[in-house]
């Protein structure tokens, strides 16, 4: 009874920590997501916004290997999260006065720390799930992996809300500001442009013609080809993408306040996860000692004295390359790269070709709210789906969700009578994205539990390379070509992750057998007469 009460108290503490990190990081990410969703509109001139996003992810791909693992190993997951969120803050503040001399340096700084909060939260959630399992394993038959999957599903429900809150605030403030400032001058400007209204940029009668340089519905969706219009913009074309500047200042100020409040809470109230807890786990027989704060503080100080930063960096790079060429990582990498393609497709192609090109840029916030809301709901369902059907059947479910999303996107013919399909496609995309996230996050945490810092940093590196690829060819290929490419990469990645699952089971059985033999030999030595 006493042990059960202790486990119940531990469950409350780990649950409180999970919701604390989930909610505060969600608020920080919602501020960044809101700003990123506006980059292709408020900084459309000369492609400044899109270029800054590309700089972020290219820089992040390298920092994820050289900087982030050391941040997590030396300073711990909590500190890495906070440092990364200051990168969020720098990029948001730079948008108060966007130029090549402010936004690009801020994008570089943000890129250097971009992977830190993602890798840090992944390590932190793994730590909490492992801690819950350690305290509950004597009372439950659930595996370590099931606890970690459950924690990640709950965490990604909250992070999915960040994609809902940020664009939702963008849509709310911009539309409200236009409603408050609806004047006679605005009405007269509408009469000069009869095909548009003040809130939604949408075509009315001549759907199959180019009006005022704006693409027709027939060239939207999968048939959208940015190369035909991306390089010949005029001031008249750019004007409709630019939100009101005062509304942007209000929005940015709100995002800064949200981010600062969340970081303050994390610094002063969030418990610290032990640095290098994943390596301590592999080196100790009694894993419960991992969670002793005093012992870990001593270990951390000894580690600092034993190795200089350069020595640790050299070791880190060596461990990274050993991890990079490991069979399990090679099999998981296609899935990580595919997620980068999928995320980049959502940010660049869905928002432009399926939303802005049809129902209008002002509806982008609503579309992303539906996208993120359905994704968050699906992530919540994954909490029960994965333990119920198992990881291998869940891989098949991921494939079905993504194929459905791509088929509907390919065969939809945009027209004013079927605008509801814009939001339906977004709902399918949100469901597909969060099933994919739950799959690869749980896989990485389960396969590489002895080197989580390196594993999650490498994960972010490969994912950011995928984002860089799709943002790089965004204006060169038509949308349908990108869909075909992504279907091919998705099929390859699911085959590879299936092979990884089989290989991991084999490794796990070998480790269990070796451990049992060691225990048996130790027992024989102890009972041997002297």
């Amino acid at each position: 009874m006493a042990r059960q009460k202790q486990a119940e108290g531990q469950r409350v503490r780990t649950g409180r920590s999970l919701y604390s990190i989930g909610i505060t990081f969600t608020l920080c990410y919602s501020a960044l997501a809101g700003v990123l969703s506006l980059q292709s509109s408020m900084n459309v001139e000369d492609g400044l916004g899109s270029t800054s996003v590309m700089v972020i992810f290219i820089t992040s791909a390298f920092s994820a290997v050289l900087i982030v693992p050391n941040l997590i190993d030396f300073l711990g997951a909590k500190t890495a999260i906070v440092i990364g969120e200051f990168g969020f803050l720098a990029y948001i503040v730079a948008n108060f006065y966007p130029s090549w001399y402010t936004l690009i340096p801020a994008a570089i700084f943000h890129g250097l720390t971009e992977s830190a909060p993602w890798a840090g939260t992944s390590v932190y959630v793994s730590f909490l799930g492992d801690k819950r399992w350690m305290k509950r394993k004597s009372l439950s038959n659930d595996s370590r992996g099931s606890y970690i999957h459950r924690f990640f599903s709950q965490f990604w429900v909250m992070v999915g809300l960040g994609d809902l809150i940020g664009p939702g605030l963008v849509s709310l403030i911009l539309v409200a500001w236009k409603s408050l400032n609806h004047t006679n001058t605005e009405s007269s400007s509408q009469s000069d442009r009869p095909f548009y209204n003040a809130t939604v940029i949408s075509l009315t009668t001549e759907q199959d013609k180019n009006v005022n340089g704006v693409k027709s519905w027939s060239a939207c969706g999968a048939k959208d080809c940015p190369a035909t219009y991306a390089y010949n913009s005029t001031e008249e074309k750019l004007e409709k993408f630019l939100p009101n500047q005062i509304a942007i200042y209000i929005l940015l100020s709100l995002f800064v306040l949200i981010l600062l409040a969340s970081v303050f809470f994390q610094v002063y109230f969030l418990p610290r996860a032990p640095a290098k807890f994943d390596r301590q786990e592999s080196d100790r027989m009694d894993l419960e000692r991992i969670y002793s704060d005093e012992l870990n503080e001593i270990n951390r100080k000894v580690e600092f004295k034993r190795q200089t930063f350069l020595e640790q960096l050299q070791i880190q790079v060596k461990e990274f390359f050993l991890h990079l060429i490991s069979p399990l990582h090679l099999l998981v990498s296609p899935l990580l790269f595919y997620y980068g393609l999928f995320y980049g497709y959502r940010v660049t192609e869905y928002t432009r070709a399926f939303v802005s090109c049809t129902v209008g840029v002002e509806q982008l916030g609503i579309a992303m709210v539906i996208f993120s809301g359905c994704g968050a709901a699906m992530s919540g369902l994954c909490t029960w789906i994965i333990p119920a059907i198992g990881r291998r059947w869940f891989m098949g479910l991921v494939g079905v969700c993504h194929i459905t999303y791509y088929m509907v996107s390919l065969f939809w013919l945009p027209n004013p009578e079927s605008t509801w399909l814009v939001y339906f496609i977004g709902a399918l995309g949100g469901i597909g994205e969060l099933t994919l996230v739950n799959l690869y996050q749980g896989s990485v945490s389960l396969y590489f539990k002895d080197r989580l810092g390196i594993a999650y940093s490498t994960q972010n590196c490969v994912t950011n390379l995928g984002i860089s690829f799709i943002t790089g060819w965004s204006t060169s290929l038509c949308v349908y070509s990108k869909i075909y490419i992504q279907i091919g990469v998705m099929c390859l990645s699911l085959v590879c992750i299936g092979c990884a699952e089989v290989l991991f089971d084999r490794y796990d059985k070998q480790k269990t057998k070796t451990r049992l033999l060691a225990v048996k030999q130790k027992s024989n030595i102890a009972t041997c007469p002297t």
Side-chain angles (χ1 to χ4, degrees), residues 56-68:
I56 289 171
F57 289 107
I58 290 177
T59 308
S60 178
F62 293 99
S63 67
V65 176
L66 300 176
I67 298 176
V68 174

Side-chain angles (χ1 to χ4, degrees), residues 340-360:
L341 294 179
F342 189 90
Y343 179 85
Y345 177 90
R346 184 249 286 189
V347 172
T348 58
E349 311 308 324
Y350 172 70
T351 54
R352 185 195 68 249
F354 290 89
V355 181
S356 296
C357 189
T358 56
V359 295

Side-chain angles (χ1 to χ4, degrees), residues 359-490:
V359 295
V361 68
E362 295 293 339
Q363 300 300 308
L364 185 58
I366 297 175
M368 294 311 297
V369 164
I370 294 174
F371 190 106
S372 303
C374 291
M378 186 62 192
S379 186
L381 291 176
C382 288
T383 304
W384 294 279
I385 292 175
I386 297 175
I389 67 176
R391 286 173 46 79
R392 296 184 183 181
W393 282 105
F394 185 71
M395 294 174 189
L397 178 62
V398 171
V400 170
C401 292
H402 283 246
I403 286 293
T404 304
Y405 172 62
Y406 289 134
M407 290 300 102
V408 175
S409 300
L410 274 174
F411 293 109
W412 175 51
L413 299 177
N415 61 81
E417 286 75 30
S418 62
T419 53
W420 62 273
L421 277 170
V422 173
Y423 307 105
F424 179 69
I425 291 172
L428 291 176
I431 292 171
E433 180 174 8
L434 267 296
T435 54
L436 180 61
V437 166
N438 277 278
L439 175 61
Y440 83 74
Q441 286 280 14
S443 298
V444 171
S445 179
L446 189 61
Y447 296 165
F448 311 114
K449 58 185 178 182
D450 58 337
R451 51 185 188 275
L452 289 178
I454 292 176
Y456 282 122
S457 298
T458 310
Q459 164 195 303
N460 290 330
C461 175
V462 177
T463 298
N464 289 339
L465 287 176
I467 298 173
S468 300
F469 266 84
I470 197 165
T471 52
W473 68 46
S474 178
T475 57
S476 302
L477 300 177
C478 294
V479 173
Y480 63 83
S481 299
K482 301 164 190 171
I483 292 177
Y484 291 136
I485 292 173
Q486 295 194 192
I487 291 175
V489 177
M490 180 203 67

Side-chain angles (χ1 to χ4, degrees), residues 211-407:
V211 183
N212 289 340
V214 181
K215 291 174 65 61
S216 66
W217 285 65
S218 61
C220 295
K223 295 183 179 180
D224 178 71
C225 297
T228 61
Y229 61 87
Y231 302 106
N232 57 353
S233 297
T234 62
E235 290 186 4
E236 293 181 356
K237 290 183 181 180
L238 296 178
E239 183 180 358
K240 65 178 179 291
F241 292 107
L242 300 177
N244 183 277
Q245 198 62 36
I246 298 178
I248 289 296
Y249 288 151
I250 295 173
L251 190 63
L252 293 175
S253 300
L254 178 62
F255 285 153
V256 169
L257 290 176
I258 290 174
L259 204 149
L260 288 175
S262 300
V263 171
F264 176 83
F265 183 90
Q266 290 174 350
V267 170
Y268 287 100
F269 299 105
L270 192 67
R272 186 180 66 86
K276 300 187 178 182
F277 91 93
D278 50 344
R279 301 185 186 187
Q280 293 171 353
E281 177 186 15
S282 63
D283 294 337
R284 299 173 188 267
M285 295 297 294
D286 184 8
L287 299 184
E288 293 183 357
R289 289 194 297 161
I290 295 173
Y291 310 113
S292 170
D293 291 336
E294 295 81 8
L295 179 61
N296 280 284
E297 188 66 24
I298 294 173
N299 288 342
R300 192 166 66 90
K301 292 179 180 179
V302 170
E303 200 68 31
F304 268 107
K305 293 179 180 179
R306 187 180 301 168
Q307 296 174 338
T308 65
F309 177 79
L310 292 178
E311 290 173 341
Q312 178 68 13
L313 179 61
Q314 183 179 3
I315 295 173
Q316 199 75 54
V317 171
K318 181 180 178 181
E319 291 178 346
F320 164 74
F321 281 107
L322 289 175
H323 173 76
L324 197 66
I325 62 176
S326 65
L328 272 177
H329 178 262
L330 291 176
L331 290 172
V332 173
S333 291
L335 190 69
L336 305 179
F337 185 80
Y338 170 65
Y339 175 68
L341 294 179
F342 189 90
Y343 179 85
Y345 177 90
R346 184 249 286 189
V347 172
T348 58
E349 311 308 324
Y350 172 70
T351 54
R352 185 195 68 249
F354 290 89
V355 181
S356 296
C357 189
T358 56
V359 295
V361 68
E362 295 293 339
Q363 300 300 308
L364 185 58
I366 297 175
M368 294 311 297
V369 164
I370 294 174
F371 190 106
S372 303
C374 291
M378 186 62 192
S379 186
L381 291 176
C382 288
T383 304
W384 294 279
I385 292 175
I386 297 175
I389 67 176
R391 286 173 46 79
R392 296 184 183 181
W393 282 105
F394 185 71
M395 294 174 189
L397 178 62
V398 171
V400 170
C401 292
H402 283 246
I403 286 293
T404 304
Y405 172 62
Y406 289 134
M407 290 300 102

